[in-house]
Amino acid sequence: MDANHKALLRNAISRLVQLTDQDWELLVSHLTYRQLKRGEYWIAEGKKEQQIGFVINGNLRHYYTHDGEEKTTYFYFENHLISSYFSALTGQPSKLTIEALTDCQLIAFPYKVLVSLYDNSHSWERFGRKLAEYLALGLEERMAGLLILTPEERYLHLLQENKKKIIERIPQHLIANYLGITPVSLSRIRRRVSGKK
Amino acid sequence: MDANHKALLRNAISRLVQLTDQDWELLVSHLTYRQLKRGEYWIAEGKKEQQIGFVINGNLRHYYTHDGEEKTTYFYFENHLISSYFSALTGQPSKLTIEALTDCQLIAFPYKVLVSLYDNSHSWERFGRKLAEYLALGLEERMAGLLILTPEERYLHLLQENKKKIIERIPQHLIANYLGITPVSLSRIRRRVSGKK
DNA sequence: CGTTCAGTTGACTAAGGTCAATTCCCGTGG
DNA sequence: CCACGGGAATTGACCTTAGTCAACTGAACG
């Protein structure tokens, strides 16, 4: 395990909670280095493997499959944690798939290690709370966007400064999927908002 | 404060975490009894009042206002906690309104009391984690439903056993709003699925 | 150069939105 | 007991926007 990679993870965690060196040591021996080739899965639908991943670089998408159609709910970039959170929390098989869109480097650790950290340390328990709160805020925003905004408005939101990463780094047909529309419709929306005849 | 009401709250909390009597006492002195008349707000858009409520009886809706249109994201019934969670976590003014659909009885306590409990007790910190995890699971499900399912499929989901409460206790035009469609469209969907000409 | 795949465009369909009229339900007051 | 009023739900006519299917374009890569 590259020390720089570990430092990236520790730094990301410290944005949520201050860990003592002692707290950090509880986790560090369980970390493993992983690589995914483009197109490989971090977790596939129906599986129960409950590893948490931390993205060092690369990007991934998180999607559900329904009636043979894939519906993308999230994209992940470097410095983010990934997991089938629903599956880890409930112990049920994953209903979603996390797929590498590019080659990825990750750090992994088992969800059950995180649970044991919750038991052993108030600081880690706090990390768990902050992580779940962070997720809930993100989900609330995504949910409200789907309910309140039209597909066109959702597309315009992606153009705003803080969201540019998706527009810049994700192919358009996957952006359409994320917006809940077909690539054909996104193409028309783009023409509409560009003002061109 | 009615002892039965307090027992309801303690029981609801104990579904997430086991509290000692000592932990419970940290909260109990901060509890206040509240009533809302039908149509009154627990929290209104733009406000920052950060009280957590626990519904003893009655029901409420949780909605955003966008371009003068109200969009309902949730309904709450007895034995649930209500708050503008986003506002409490971020300290920003609430973007949503929680309105009593019927007369309601509630128990209230300030969000900042909960934060102090997090600091003082690992058990309360765990409660905070479990609460956020519970919320995240609910939000994930609602978000995925909006992305994956058609309005008609979403309506059919509400007819399933565990969701019946909404169909039985909420007027149809608000159900339509919750589904993201107009009352007119819901009426047509109902006719379609009933098979009647 | 072909092959391939993403993106665009056109023609047509399907489903929800809008507006307006009508019916249904229910409570209240004569 | 009945008539009336008001809000909820339904229905009809028409509009708007996304979906579908298919053809075409363009850039990337061998």
Side-chain angles (χ1 to χ4, degrees):
Chain A
M1 278 287 303
D2 184 310
N4 284 335
H5 293 169
K6 285 192 283 195
L8 286 172
L9 173 58
R10 185 164 181 182
N11 185 50
I13 290 172
S14 73
R15 271 181 273 143
L16 294 182
V17 68
Q18 278 311 320
L19 291 181
T20 62
D21 288 345
Q22 190 186 344
D23 287 325
W24 172 248
E25 286 304 322
L26 293 174
L27 173 63
V28 79
S29 68
H30 298 96
L31 300 177
T32 55
Y33 176 72
R34 304 288 183 91
Q35 286 183 296
L36 288 177
K37 295 273 181 215
R38 174 183 174 154
E40 288 181 341
Y41 300 135
W42 179 255
I43 185 159
E45 191 189 349
K47 295 283 176 60
K48 261 197 194 173
E49 194 203 347
Q50 290 162 1
Q51 292 275 323
I52 312 290
F54 174 75
V55 183
I56 297 166
N57 57 50
N59 45 63
L60 305 95
R61 64 189 269 254
H62 175 288
Y63 64 88
Y64 289 86
T65 305
H66 179 74
D67 293 345
E69 308 250 304
E70 296 173 358
K71 303 285 185 164
T72 302
T73 52
Y74 269 103
F75 297 109
Y76 298 104
F77 302 96
E78 59 281 349
N79 286 314
H80 270 260
L81 289 169
I82 58 172
S83 77
S84 180
Y85 201 62
F86 198 105
S87 169
L89 289 179
T90 64
Q92 301 294 308
S94 178
K95 287 189 250 178
L96 56 87
T97 300
I98 299 179
E99 176 196 18
L101 294 176
T102 64
D103 294 351
C104 292
Q105 295 182 285
L106 303 114
I107 300 176
F109 55 93
Y111 177 70
K112 67 176 173 10
V113 166
L114 192 57
V115 172
S116 76
L117 297 179
Y118 292 163
D119 288 337
N120 289 320
S121 155
H122 189 151
S123 292
W124 277 112
E125 188 84 55
R126 172 159 299 183
F127 168 75
R129 168 172 67 86
K130 297 265 193 174
L131 178 63
E133 288 174 352
Y134 172 83
L135 273 166
L137 293 182
L139 285 164
E140 172 87 19
E141 189 173 1
R142 177 96 168 102
M143 185 269 285
L146 288 169
L147 190 64
I148 292 169
L149 305 175
T150 63
E152 180 168 329
E153 289 171 321
R154 293 201 286 277
Y155 174 69
L156 293 172
H157 267 243
L158 287 188
L159 299 178
Q160 292 171 0
E161 268 322 307
N162 50 340
K163 303 263 199 159
K164 280 267 181 66
K165 222 186 271 186
I166 290 178
I167 296 286
E168 286 162 5
R169 293 165 59 174
I170 303 292
Q172 191 171 311
H173 66 281
L174 291 180
I175 294 176
N177 195 267
Y178 175 78
L179 295 172
I181 58 179
T182 60
V184 174
S185 291
L186 178 54
S187 176
R188 294 199 169 107
I189 286 172
R190 279 160 55 81
R191 187 173 43 160
R192 226 158 51 213
V193 303
S194 78
K196 300 236 178 73
K197 156 81 211 317
Chain B
M1 277 286 306
D2 184 310
N4 284 336
H5 293 169
K6 286 193 281 196
L8 286 172
L9 174 58
R10 185 165 181 181
N11 186 50
I13 291 173
S14 74
R15 271 181 272 143
L16 295 181
V17 68
Q18 277 311 321
L19 292 182
T20 62
D21 288 345
Q22 191 186 342
D23 287 324
W24 173 247
E25 286 305 322
L26 294 174
L27 173 63
V28 78
S29 68
H30 299 96
L31 300 177
T32 55
Y33 175 73
R34 303 288 182 90
Q35 285 183 296
L36 289 177
K37 295 272 181 216
R38 173 182 176 154
E40 289 181 340
Y41 300 136
W42 180 253
I43 185 159
E45 191 187 352
K47 295 284 178 59
K48 261 197 190 172
E49 194 203 345
Q50 290 162 5
Q51 291 276 323
I52 313 290
F54 174 75
V55 184
I56 297 166
N57 57 51
N59 45 65
L60 305 95
R61 65 188 269 253
H62 176 288
Y63 64 89
Y64 289 87
T65 304
H66 178 73
D67 294 343
E69 308 250 303
E70 297 174 357
K71 303 282 186 166
T72 303
T73 52
Y74 269 103
F75 297 109
Y76 298 105
F77 302 96
E78 59 281 351
N79 285 314
H80 271 260
L81 289 168
I82 59 172
S83 77
S84 181
Y85 200 61
F86 197 105
S87 169
L89 290 179
T90 64
Q92 302 295 308
S94 178
K95 288 188 251 178
L96 56 86
T97 300
I98 299 178
E99 176 198 18
L101 295 176
T102 63
D103 294 352
C104 292
Q105 295 182 284
L106 303 112
I107 300 176
F109 55 94
Y111 178 69
K112 66 176 177 4
V113 165
L114 193 56
V115 172
S116 75
L117 297 180
Y118 293 162
D119 288 337
N120 289 320
S121 155
H122 188 151
S123 292
W124 277 113
E125 187 84 54
R126 172 158 298 182
F127 169 75
R129 170 171 67 85
K130 297 265 192 174
L131 178 62
E133 289 173 351
Y134 172 83
L135 272 167
L137 292 183
L139 285 163
E140 170 88 18
E141 188 174 0
R142 176 101 167 100
M143 185 270 285
L146 288 169
L147 189 64
I148 292 169
L149 304 177
T150 63
E152 178 169 331
E153 289 171 321
R154 292 202 286 277
Y155 174 69
L156 292 172
H157 268 243
L158 288 189
L159 298 179
Q160 292 171 1
E161 267 323 307
N162 50 338
K163 303 262 197 157
K164 281 267 182 68
K165 224 186 270 187
I166 291 178
I167 296 288
E168 286 163 4
R169 293 167 59 176
I170 304 292
Q172 192 171 310
H173 65 281
L174 292 179
I175 294 175
N177 195 268
Y178 174 79
L179 295 172
I181 58 179
T182 60
V184 175
S185 292
L186 178 55
S187 176
R188 295 200 167 105
I189 286 171
R190 281 160 52 82
R191 187 171 44 160
R192 226 157 54 213
V193 304
S194 77
K196 300 236 178 75
K197 160 71 211 320

